[in-house]
mmCIF file of all heavy atoms in Angstrom:
data_model
loop_
_atom_site.group_PDB
_atom_site.id
_atom_site.type_symbol
_atom_site.label_atom_id
_atom_site.label_comp_id
_atom_site.label_asym_id
_atom_site.label_seq_id
_atom_site.Cartn_x
_atom_site.Cartn_y
_atom_site.Cartn_z
ATOM 1 N N MET A 99 -10.704 -46.599 -16.226
ATOM 2 C CA MET A 99 -11.608 -45.468 -16.055
ATOM 3 C C MET A 99 -11.064 -44.360 -15.124
ATOM 4 O O MET A 99 -11.636 -43.377 -14.993
ATOM 5 C CB MET A 99 -12.945 -45.987 -15.500
ATOM 6 C CG MET A 99 -13.785 -46.713 -16.465
ATOM 7 S SD MET A 99 -15.345 -47.223 -15.836
ATOM 8 C CE MET A 99 -16.109 -45.591 -15.455
ATOM 9 N N GLY A 100 -9.971 -44.632 -14.472
ATOM 10 C CA GLY A 100 -9.419 -43.678 -13.478
ATOM 11 C C GLY A 100 -9.882 -44.093 -12.086
ATOM 12 O O GLY A 100 -11.005 -44.492 -11.890
ATOM 13 N N GLY A 101 -8.977 -44.004 -11.158
ATOM 14 C CA GLY A 101 -9.233 -44.474 -9.793
ATOM 15 C C GLY A 101 -9.683 -43.405 -8.806
ATOM 16 O O GLY A 101 -9.539 -43.630 -7.590
ATOM 17 N N GLU A 102 -10.162 -42.306 -9.274
ATOM 18 C CA GLU A 102 -10.580 -41.239 -8.425
ATOM 19 C C GLU A 102 -12.017 -40.803 -8.708
ATOM 20 O O GLU A 102 -12.374 -39.679 -8.743
ATOM 21 C CB GLU A 102 -9.701 -40.089 -8.526
ATOM 22 C CG GLU A 102 -8.188 -40.380 -8.061
ATOM 23 C CD GLU A 102 -7.264 -39.200 -8.203
ATOM 24 O OE1 GLU A 102 -7.731 -38.108 -8.599
ATOM 25 O OE2 GLU A 102 -6.107 -39.386 -7.951
ATOM 26 N N ARG A 103 -12.895 -41.853 -8.996
ATOM 27 C CA ARG A 103 -14.271 -41.509 -9.355
ATOM 28 C C ARG A 103 -15.257 -41.626 -8.282
ATOM 29 O O ARG A 103 -16.450 -41.462 -8.464
ATOM 30 C CB ARG A 103 -14.670 -42.346 -10.547
ATOM 31 C CG ARG A 103 -13.901 -42.088 -11.851
ATOM 32 C CD ARG A 103 -14.567 -42.688 -12.993
ATOM 33 N NE ARG A 103 -13.853 -42.292 -14.239
ATOM 34 C CZ ARG A 103 -14.254 -41.233 -15.017
ATOM 35 N NH1 ARG A 103 -15.264 -40.509 -14.679
ATOM 36 N NH2 ARG A 103 -13.535 -40.969 -16.102
ATOM 37 N N ILE A 104 -14.739 -42.030 -7.121
ATOM 38 C CA ILE A 104 -15.625 -42.091 -5.905
ATOM 39 C C ILE A 104 -15.091 -41.240 -4.770
ATOM 40 O O ILE A 104 -13.859 -41.376 -4.491
ATOM 41 C CB ILE A 104 -15.779 -43.578 -5.424
ATOM 42 C CG1 ILE A 104 -16.253 -44.445 -6.531
ATOM 43 C CG2 ILE A 104 -16.768 -43.645 -4.250
ATOM 44 C CD1 ILE A 104 -16.355 -45.939 -6.108
ATOM 45 N N ALA A 105 -15.876 -40.332 -4.258
ATOM 46 C CA ALA A 105 -15.486 -39.488 -3.172
ATOM 47 C C ALA A 105 -16.221 -39.952 -1.946
ATOM 48 O O ALA A 105 -17.466 -40.101 -2.029
ATOM 49 C CB ALA A 105 -15.836 -38.026 -3.473
ATOM 50 N N VAL A 106 -15.647 -39.973 -0.788
ATOM 51 C CA VAL A 106 -16.301 -40.296 0.464
ATOM 52 C C VAL A 106 -16.250 -39.000 1.344
ATOM 53 O O VAL A 106 -15.193 -38.467 1.545
ATOM 54 C CB VAL A 106 -15.675 -41.487 1.228
ATOM 55 C CG1 VAL A 106 -16.358 -41.688 2.571
ATOM 56 C CG2 VAL A 106 -15.685 -42.693 0.412
ATOM 57 N N ILE A 107 -17.400 -38.516 1.716
ATOM 58 C CA ILE A 107 -17.513 -37.337 2.518
ATOM 59 C C ILE A 107 -18.115 -37.656 3.862
ATOM 60 O O ILE A 107 -19.293 -38.218 3.902
ATOM 61 C CB ILE A 107 -18.372 -36.172 1.782
ATOM 62 C CG1 ILE A 107 -17.726 -35.857 0.417
ATOM 63 C CG2 ILE A 107 -18.442 -34.995 2.629
ATOM 64 C CD1 ILE A 107 -18.593 -34.985 -0.426
ATOM 65 N N THR A 108 -17.467 -37.226 4.843
ATOM 66 C CA THR A 108 -18.013 -37.466 6.207
ATOM 67 C C THR A 108 -18.819 -36.320 6.651
ATOM 68 O O THR A 108 -18.289 -35.195 6.588
ATOM 69 C CB THR A 108 -16.900 -37.777 7.250
ATOM 70 O OG1 THR A 108 -16.112 -38.951 6.775
ATOM 71 C CG2 THR A 108 -17.487 -38.127 8.580
ATOM 72 N N ASN A 109 -20.089 -36.556 7.023
ATOM 73 C CA ASN A 109 -20.938 -35.528 7.556
ATOM 74 C C ASN A 109 -20.516 -35.153 8.909
ATOM 75 O O ASN A 109 -20.602 -35.953 9.862
ATOM 76 C CB ASN A 109 -22.430 -36.029 7.513
ATOM 77 C CG ASN A 109 -23.409 -35.011 7.903
ATOM 78 O OD1 ASN A 109 -23.067 -33.837 8.183
ATOM 79 N ND2 ASN A 109 -24.625 -35.369 7.964
ATOM 80 N N MET A 110 -19.942 -34.001 9.125
ATOM 81 C CA MET A 110 -19.376 -33.531 10.391
ATOM 82 C C MET A 110 -20.258 -32.452 10.964
ATOM 83 O O MET A 110 -21.195 -32.077 10.294
ATOM 84 C CB MET A 110 -17.987 -33.068 10.210
ATOM 85 C CG MET A 110 -17.063 -33.988 9.599
ATOM 86 S SD MET A 110 -16.796 -35.488 10.561
ATOM 87 C CE MET A 110 -15.639 -34.834 11.816
ATOM 88 N N LYS A 111 -19.947 -31.970 12.081
ATOM 89 C CA LYS A 111 -20.702 -30.895 12.812
ATOM 90 C C LYS A 111 -20.599 -29.613 12.173
ATOM 91 O O LYS A 111 -21.406 -28.687 12.476
ATOM 92 C CB LYS A 111 -20.221 -30.831 14.284
ATOM 93 C CG LYS A 111 -20.309 -32.122 15.014
ATOM 94 C CD LYS A 111 -21.807 -32.500 15.295
ATOM 95 C CE LYS A 111 -21.979 -33.733 16.098
ATOM 96 N NZ LYS A 111 -23.105 -34.436 15.777
ATOM 97 N N ASP A 112 -19.630 -29.408 11.186
ATOM 98 C CA ASP A 112 -19.490 -28.139 10.569
ATOM 99 C C ASP A 112 -20.522 -27.849 9.495
ATOM 100 O O ASP A 112 -20.525 -26.821 8.873
ATOM 101 C CB ASP A 112 -18.028 -27.885 9.962
ATOM 102 C CG ASP A 112 -17.655 -29.013 9.074
ATOM 103 O OD1 ASP A 112 -18.379 -30.046 8.898
ATOM 104 O OD2 ASP A 112 -16.457 -28.945 8.557
ATOM 105 N N GLY A 113 -21.472 -28.784 9.366
ATOM 106 C CA GLY A 113 -22.663 -28.431 8.616
ATOM 107 C C GLY A 113 -22.576 -28.824 7.115
ATOM 108 O O GLY A 113 -21.663 -29.337 6.549
ATOM 109 N N MET A 114 -23.733 -28.385 6.482
ATOM 110 C CA MET A 114 -24.022 -28.650 5.115
ATOM 111 C C MET A 114 -23.173 -27.862 4.142
ATOM 112 O O MET A 114 -22.885 -28.304 3.132
ATOM 113 C CB MET A 114 -25.487 -28.454 4.898
ATOM 114 C CG MET A 114 -25.988 -29.063 3.627
ATOM 115 S SD MET A 114 -25.897 -30.812 3.533
ATOM 116 C CE MET A 114 -27.176 -31.325 4.750
ATOM 117 N N ASP A 115 -22.728 -26.691 4.527
ATOM 118 C CA ASP A 115 -21.877 -25.880 3.649
ATOM 119 C C ASP A 115 -20.624 -26.638 3.168
ATOM 120 O O ASP A 115 -20.278 -26.548 1.911
ATOM 121 C CB ASP A 115 -21.397 -24.606 4.417
ATOM 122 C CG ASP A 115 -22.504 -23.582 4.588
ATOM 123 O OD1 ASP A 115 -23.492 -23.584 3.834
ATOM 124 O OD2 ASP A 115 -22.396 -22.761 5.543
ATOM 125 N N ARG A 116 -19.939 -27.282 4.031
ATOM 126 C CA ARG A 116 -18.751 -28.001 3.607
ATOM 127 C C ARG A 116 -19.085 -29.233 2.700
ATOM 128 O O ARG A 116 -18.436 -29.499 1.707
ATOM 129 C CB ARG A 116 -17.995 -28.609 4.835
ATOM 130 C CG ARG A 116 -16.629 -29.256 4.442
ATOM 131 C CD ARG A 116 -15.944 -29.972 5.525
ATOM 132 N NE ARG A 116 -16.896 -30.894 6.249
ATOM 133 C CZ ARG A 116 -17.161 -32.098 5.891
ATOM 134 N NH1 ARG A 116 -16.677 -32.638 4.786
ATOM 135 N NH2 ARG A 116 -17.937 -32.904 6.557
ATOM 136 N N ILE A 117 -20.214 -29.953 3.042
ATOM 137 C CA ILE A 117 -20.567 -31.060 2.212
ATOM 138 C C ILE A 117 -20.942 -30.617 0.803
ATOM 139 O O ILE A 117 -20.448 -31.183 -0.166
ATOM 140 C CB ILE A 117 -21.826 -31.787 2.806
ATOM 141 C CG1 ILE A 117 -21.325 -32.470 4.103
ATOM 142 C CG2 ILE A 117 -22.407 -32.771 1.901
ATOM 143 C CD1 ILE A 117 -22.466 -33.105 4.914
ATOM 144 N N VAL A 118 -21.726 -29.590 0.663
ATOM 145 C CA VAL A 118 -22.109 -29.013 -0.621
ATOM 146 C C VAL A 118 -20.838 -28.578 -1.413
ATOM 147 O O VAL A 118 -20.688 -28.855 -2.580
ATOM 148 C CB VAL A 118 -23.150 -27.867 -0.521
ATOM 149 C CG1 VAL A 118 -23.297 -27.136 -1.813
ATOM 150 C CG2 VAL A 118 -24.432 -28.462 0.041
ATOM 151 N N SER A 119 -19.954 -27.862 -0.744
ATOM 152 C CA SER A 119 -18.680 -27.416 -1.313
ATOM 153 C C SER A 119 -17.909 -28.600 -1.756
ATOM 154 O O SER A 119 -17.278 -28.590 -2.923
ATOM 155 C CB SER A 119 -17.874 -26.636 -0.303
ATOM 156 O OG SER A 119 -16.608 -26.244 -0.774
ATOM 157 N N ASP A 120 -17.762 -29.689 -0.976
ATOM 158 C CA ASP A 120 -17.070 -30.866 -1.370
ATOM 159 C C ASP A 120 -17.678 -31.534 -2.582
ATOM 160 O O ASP A 120 -16.948 -31.967 -3.507
ATOM 161 C CB ASP A 120 -16.888 -31.816 -0.194
ATOM 162 C CG ASP A 120 -15.969 -31.470 0.873
ATOM 163 O OD1 ASP A 120 -15.282 -30.330 0.737
ATOM 164 O OD2 ASP A 120 -15.912 -32.096 1.901
#
Side-chain angles (χ1 to χ4, degrees):
M99 285 184 65
E102 298 178 0
R103 291 193 177 267
I104 303 175
V106 178
I107 300 171
T108 302
N109 187 1
M110 303 296 282
K111 300 294 183 211
D112 54 356
M114 196 61 69
D115 288 334
R116 183 191 51 82
I117 292 172
V118 170
S119 175
D120 288 353

